[in-house]
Amino acid sequence: MGPDQALYVVATPIGNLADMVPRAVEVLQCADLVAAEDTRHSQRLFSHFDIDTPLVAYHDHSDDQRTARIIERLEAGETVALISDAGTPLISDPGYRLVREARNRGIRVVPVPGACAFVAALSAAGLPSDRFTFEGFLPAKSGARARTLEQLAGEERTMVFYEAPHRVADTLDAMAEAFGEHREAVIARELTKAFETFHMAPLAELAAWVRADSNQQRGEIVLMVRGAERKAGATLDDESQRVMKLLMAELPPKRAAAVAAEITGVNKKVLYNWGLEQK
């Protein structure tokens, strides 16, 4: 018996095809249409599991007309499955606009769980996982990346990032600058594939290790960074708070703390940590 009429959000393997769950195979085989991030990429998966359902491309650059056509088919009573190139759709992958529009139209949206790269990486990383934040991809440009990392410097939860292989070494350098070179981190690469790699080290050491081996700058990469140590709450007097608020309206926290320290005489690190708490 095939799946009921709905939009199915189907997770697919991130490398090892044996990780495909039976329910996902059934849904893809029985659907009327599969919306895929890259139809050519998905053909390997379809060939392996004898799936001959029609494919249509759906990605972040798809126009509103493509979304509308898929919605029309759903409203006509057809079953549509949404997949990305690998892992769970919408997790740093396309699909949000389609899922949102389906829900707005009262169409049932059904998740079919399976592989997800950051969940797999975090489960085997050896970093605290009771509380974490998934940050996805950082900005590609160095200035925007540095500002984003500066805002995360006081984050106490484990932080999880995706990164492109050609940027991973520069990103680790930027993390060491923003978080401190001794902050513990893990790189997880090529999960479930032949050259799966996990490596844990302080950020500065991890950056050097990656730069020394070009193989570590290839494939699909997850970076995980231990959160900041919880600090005893140092309180600021009213005047120092007033100065910091005025400066932070115009400056990033790090620069605001440096200027405020000169004005108030309060320790720069105390001012900086207070500023991060206000974000």
Side-chain angles (χ1 to χ4, degrees):
M1 183 176 176
D4 296 331
Q5 184 269 330
L7 173 62
Y8 287 83
V9 182
V10 181
T12 56
I14 57 178
N16 192 325
L17 291 178
D19 292 336
M20 186 76 163
V21 300
R23 183 181 173 213
V25 175
E26 179 188 4
V27 168
L28 294 180
Q29 287 175 335
C30 297
D32 297 298
L33 179 72
V34 175
E37 182 178 1
D38 184 331
T39 56
R40 293 168 299 178
H41 181 92
S42 297
Q43 284 294 350
R44 175 172 172 260
L45 181 77
F46 276 40
S47 297
H48 184 84
F49 290 105
D50 295 321
I51 300 167
D52 58 9
T53 305
L55 278 162
V56 63
Y58 188 83
H59 46 74
D60 279 339
H61 303 294
S62 296
D63 57 24
D64 291 339
Q65 288 186 337
R66 176 60 55 85
T67 301
R69 285 197 291 270
I70 295 173
I71 293 294
E72 286 173 4
R73 297 189 64 165
L74 285 162
E75 290 185 323
E78 294 189 7
T79 295
V80 177
L82 173 68
I83 61 173
S84 61
D85 286 347
T88 302
L90 279 75
I91 308 302
S92 284
D93 273 334
Y96 166 77
R97 286 185 297 141
L98 180 60
V99 168
R100 178 76 175 182
E101 185 62 20
R103 288 213 170 274
N104 286 342
R105 299 290 190 97
I107 297 167
R108 196 161 65 103
V109 181
V110 180
V112 181
C116 179
F118 93 78
V119 174
L122 187 59
S123 72
L127 291 175
S129 57
D130 54 333
R131 296 174 66 242
F132 62 89
T133 174
F134 175 62
E135 297 295 329
F137 285 95
L138 288 164
K141 293 185 177 180
S142 60
R145 178 176 59 210
R147 287 191 293 273
T148 299
L149 290 173
E150 185 175 276
Q151 292 171 357
L152 291 170
E155 173 59 64
E156 296 176 357
R157 296 168 293 181
T158 296
M159 293 170 282
V160 185
F161 304 85
Y162 286 162
E163 190 50 281
H166 64 281
R167 289 197 300 262
V168 65
D170 288 342
T171 292
L172 286 168
D173 285 339
M175 287 177 169
E177 174 69 22
F179 302 155
E181 61 182 25
H182 300 296
R183 183 84 71 90
E184 191 175 50
V186 177
I187 184 172
R189 193 179 64 84
E190 292 291 84
L191 294 174
T192 78
K193 301 175 186 174
F195 296 103
E196 177 179 279
T197 303
F198 280 84
H199 190 77
M200 176 186 284
L203 275 167
E205 292 181 23
L206 190 59
W209 182 80
V210 167
R211 286 195 180 279
D213 184 357
S214 61
N215 287 325
Q216 306 309 324
Q217 301 172 47
R218 298 177 182 174
E220 304 294 326
I221 294 169
V222 184
L223 297 176
M224 293 156 286
V225 183
R226 181 183 282 273
E229 292 293 328
R230 185 182 295 274
K231 294 181 173 61
T235 58
L236 291 184
D237 60 86
D238 291 344
E239 178 61 15
S240 296
Q241 291 187 33
R242 187 184 72 83
V243 171
M244 276 295 289
K245 287 176 181 177
L246 288 171
L247 290 170
M248 286 174 61
E250 303 293 336
L251 299 171
K254 190 173 184 179
R255 180 61 183 153
V259 176
E262 295 179 9
I263 296 171
T264 65
V266 176
N267 181 277
K268 180 170 65 175
K269 186 169 288 188
V270 171
L271 290 162
Y272 178 60
N273 288 334
W274 182 89
L276 291 177
E277 291 172 0
Q278 310 312 304
K279 288 291 186 179

